[in-house]
Amino acid sequence: MVKDFISLADYTGAEIIAFLNLADELKRLQKTGRPHKLLEGKTLALIFEKPSLRTRLTFQLGMFQLGGFSLLMDMRLGERESVPDVARNLERWVDGIMARTYRHEHVVQLAQCASIPVINALTDKLHPCQILADVQTLREHKGADLSSLKVAFVGDGNNVFHSWANFASRVPLNLTLVCPEGYEGDPEITRRAAKEAKGAFVITHDPADGLKDADAVYTDVWASMGQEEETALRETIFAPYQVNEKLMGLAKPDALFMHCLPAHRGHEVSDDVIDGPNSVCFDQAENRLHAQKAVLASLLRGDRVLNMFSELKHTK
Ligand code: CP
Ligand code: NVA
């Protein structure tokens, strides 16, 4: 297994499924009050350049529940000292680094310069932790075999979509991006996804075409963190892509509604959809905790995920 958790594309499909199985097991242990202190005495530094509710709380809580400790740092990388120097300091004190940054290259550089694991907790390019929790949620609602499922991602081809594209290039699942022209995502990522996809990988501008037969309709904010000055322009461009009852009506009747949160209600999603019976966005938020605990336990212990999973099985 690779040292860091930067991109789902760095892992094999089997390794990603192993993370998900471990996440299910850790969720079961947590829910039934069974101790699982796999990281006793281990420490994690959390670097946040951007705001966060879910990621910040679940990484801190996850380390606590695993018997470890986390140290929170609100800082901007590359300002006071170089990124390699930050990496060379942190590796002397802690067992792992979690970083949420603007520039993706900064997380990559941290990982290259530190001997300890680095976890990507969102960059302008990727958000892999989110997709692990999303897929854990999808499996809970639609079953473990994702190969016949269709996920329609409606809106901006952004960091969250990029990580979905990377997932689809490793694990069988059908993924469609439904977006306005000019918002199809990073061509390097979508080209690779189109080439390596294990199921159908489609990009369309037509909601009726893109949402047809969808088992899950996913959306995210129209302007991500760092794009605030484009908010007004994007509101006009993305308006036809608001996920409301009419748009949900184009998908399967039992299609799930998914959102990574935070949601801008009345913009990318209407209140009736996000608060409706098919919305699983708070399940996704809950699973951030369990999915990230699987990543933390696997990377900070230095064991292979599958070994960890079988070790836990013996505690039943
Ligand atoms: N979904 C997500 O990453 O939420 P936060 O920005 O609140 O961490
Ligand atoms: N695309 C969003 C995700 C927030 C969790 C952003 O980067 O702001």
Side-chain angles (χ1 to χ4, degrees), residues 20-36:
L20 289 163
N21 290 340
L22 180 59
D24 289 345
E25 183 68 5
L26 291 172
K27 182 172 184 176
R28 193 187 64 77
L29 293 173
Q30 182 62 33
K31 291 268 183 194
T32 52
R34 321 264 287 268
H36 45 282

Side-chain angles (χ1 to χ4, degrees), residues 54 69 125 192 209:
R54 282 148 289 272
F69 184 73
K125 195 170 187 178
R192 191 186 52 211
D209 186 31

Side-chain angles (χ1 to χ4, degrees), residues 242-261:
Q242 184 193 66
V243 180
N244 48 34
E245 289 290 2
K246 187 165 161 253
L247 231 78
M248 285 300 290
L250 300 169
K252 282 187 182 167
D254 63 347
L256 302 176
F257 170 73
M258 304 183 78
H259 195 308
C260 54
L261 303 178

Side-chain angles (χ1 to χ4, degrees), residues 48 51-58 100 121-122 127 130 160 218 225 259-262 288 292:
F48 280 97
S52 170
L53 169 64
R54 282 148 289 272
T55 308
R56 188 165 163 151
L57 194 137
T58 52
R100 166 170 286 197
L122 183 148
H127 196 3
Q130 179 68 51
V160 175
Y218 198 116
M225 292 179 275
H259 195 308
C260 54
L261 303 178
R288 293 294 302 281
Q292 286 157 197

Side-chain angles (χ1 to χ4, degrees), residues 99 196 241 284:
E196 298 180 7
Y241 296 86
Q284 294 169 253

Side-chain angles (χ1 to χ4, degrees), residues 133-301:
D134 295 342
V135 177
Q136 185 179 13
T137 308
L138 197 56
R139 289 178 5 143
E140 287 170 352
H141 288 272
K142 297 284 181 188
D145 180 10
L146 308 171
S147 61
S148 62
L149 294 183
K150 173 177 172 179
V151 174
F153 189 102
V154 183
D156 188 22
N158 63 12
N159 45 7
V160 175
F161 171 71
H162 290 155
S163 284
W164 266 107
N166 284 339
F167 178 83
S169 72
R170 295 292 178 265
V171 177
L173 167 127
N174 304 302
L175 179 66
T176 297
L177 171 65
V178 188
C179 67
E181 271 180 55
Y183 294 89
E184 295 86 359
D186 181 330
E188 201 186 312
I189 292 176
T190 53
R191 255 199 307 272
R192 191 186 52 211
K195 192 161 153 252
E196 298 180 7
K198 300 283 176 276
F201 179 79
V202 175
I203 297 179
T204 177
H205 306 303
D206 176 10
D209 186 31
L211 275 91
K212 189 170 182 289
D213 297 328
D215 298 282
V217 179
Y218 198 116
T219 194
D220 184 13
V221 292
W222 291 337
S224 287
M225 292 179 275
Q227 298 174 329
E228 288 79 7
E229 75 287 355
E230 293 179 40
T231 302
L233 171 71
R234 284 171 175 254
E235 274 172 17
T236 314
I237 294 171
F238 283 85
Y241 296 86
Q242 184 193 66
V243 180
N244 48 34
E245 289 290 2
K246 187 165 161 253
L247 231 78
M248 285 300 290
L250 300 169
K252 282 187 182 167
D254 63 347
L256 302 176
F257 170 73
M258 304 183 78
H259 195 308
C260 54
L261 303 178
H264 293 164
R265 289 163 173 263
H267 295 261
E268 76 274 4
V269 60
S270 61
D271 278 327
D272 48 5
V273 168
I274 195 169
D275 296 328
N278 290 3
S279 174
V280 294
C281 61
F282 299 109
D283 293 352
Q284 294 169 253
E286 177 187 344
N287 284 337
R288 293 294 302 281
L289 174 66
H290 310 296
Q292 286 157 197
K293 281 167 73 178
V295 173
L296 285 167
S298 307
L299 266 63
L300 269 61
R301 280 280 296 253

